[in-house]
Amino acid sequence: DMFTILLVHDNSESMDVVRGFLERMGDVRVDTVGSAKQAVDMLGKRTYDLIISYFRLPAVTGIEFVQETDGIGLLRCVRNMGRTTPVLLYMKSGKGKMVVTDLLSGVEFPVPRDPHGPVPELRDMIRQAILRKRAEREQVTRAEMLAAILAATPLCIAQVRGPVIEWVNPSLARLIGTPAGELTGKPVSCLFPEPRDCERTLRLAALSPDDAGFGTAETILSHKDGSPIRGCIRVRPIDPADPSRGDVLVFEDQTAIQ
């Protein structure tokens, strides 16, 4: 995929130089604007992998510079829009020198002004910023997809740590007749008719783990109104190498089969 960069520059001639430098990196599409306001407007229309802001200003730190631009902090505006797009600041620092600052990490380094070819450090900084952003975006996408799958499955699933419920999916909340938020933080025994039923079920499940690490036991859960829910429960550590992370419980309702 092409990397998408928004270049903000208040000088059209210098903007062309920097844009050419960026495009020579390959696999890069660069959109340019001449002010922070135009940048915010552009960000309202599309998503970018990276913002590079270049201004001819008196020597100030990058963060101060962004916060004071046109009375509006560019970085602050970006964050207020709910965007986590990484921002690099490209600015003059002495005769014939430029400084590039990654506003997320605070890393900066000098580069020759108007370079004829990609400077390795700048190229790497840009790519790292973009890859970091894409990794975050992919992680969010995977989390949303997993949440959708867990919400759609008819299996009832809970995450527990020790005796406490940390999360349940909508199917389990519906089966028990209690909102998911009300189950979170409660002892896992609240899913069963009696605490001793919970203890017996978990003890039996621990005796017979399969190749995937799931232990299985026939059991009965309890609806909010007290009615029994017969079924099969499977229990597995989230991370067998780290029991402190808790367990996942999967319950299959077999009431209709009885």
Side-chain angles (χ1 to χ4, degrees), residues 45-243:
K45 301 174 183 176
R46 62 189 64 178
T47 300
Y48 290 92
D49 293 307
L50 178 68
I51 299 170
I52 299 181
S53 187
Y54 179 105
F55 287 82
R56 299 171 62 90
L57 289 178
V60 293
T61 68
I63 294 178
E64 291 172 348
F65 156 74
V66 170
Q67 290 178 341
E68 295 172 1
T69 297
D70 296 336
I72 305 173
L74 177 57
L75 181 59
R76 183 181 301 169
C77 285
V78 171
R79 298 300 179 255
N80 287 343
M81 296 170 69
R83 303 294 182 85
T84 57
T85 310
V87 178
L88 299 186
L89 176 64
Y90 194 71
M91 60 188 294
K92 289 198 302 184
S93 177
K95 185 177 180 180
K97 293 183 179 180
M98 304 297 297
V99 169
V100 178
T101 305
D102 185 333
L103 297 185
L104 180 62
S105 66
V107 173
E108 68 175 36
F109 61 87
V111 297
R113 197 174 174 201
D114 297 345
H116 295 293
V119 177
E121 293 86 354
L122 177 58
R123 178 195 61 210
D124 292 343
M125 178 182 280
I126 290 173
R127 291 194 181 278
Q128 286 301 317
I130 291 174
L131 292 175
R132 183 171 61 235
K133 172 60 179 174
R134 289 192 169 182
E136 292 173 356
R137 189 181 301 162
E138 290 173 359
Q139 184 176 7
V140 170
T141 300
R142 288 195 297 269
E144 291 175 346
M145 183 178 299
L146 177 59
I149 292 172
L150 292 175
T153 179
L155 293 175
C156 301
I157 304 173
Q159 177 186 346
V160 303
R161 192 189 301 263
V164 178
I165 298 172
E166 292 195 335
W167 172 88
V168 301
N169 73 335
S171 294
L172 180 55
R174 287 192 298 269
L175 183 72
I176 299 298
T178 303
E182 294 184 16
L183 291 172
T184 302
K186 287 190 174 182
V188 66
S189 59
C190 76
L191 302 175
F192 296 80
E194 299 289 343
R196 64 174 179 270
D197 298 318
C198 174
E199 296 173 3
R200 180 187 62 81
T201 297
L202 297 182
R203 185 172 61 253
L204 289 174
L207 295 176
S208 57
D210 59 19
D211 292 341
F214 277 99
T216 304
E218 300 294 325
T219 192
I220 298 175
L221 299 189
S222 179
H223 189 275
K224 184 179 181 179
D225 63 11
S227 59
I229 307 169
R230 300 181 182 277
C232 176
I233 197 167
R234 305 180 70 203
V235 184
R236 181 187 187 278
I238 292 174
D239 182 355
D242 184 6

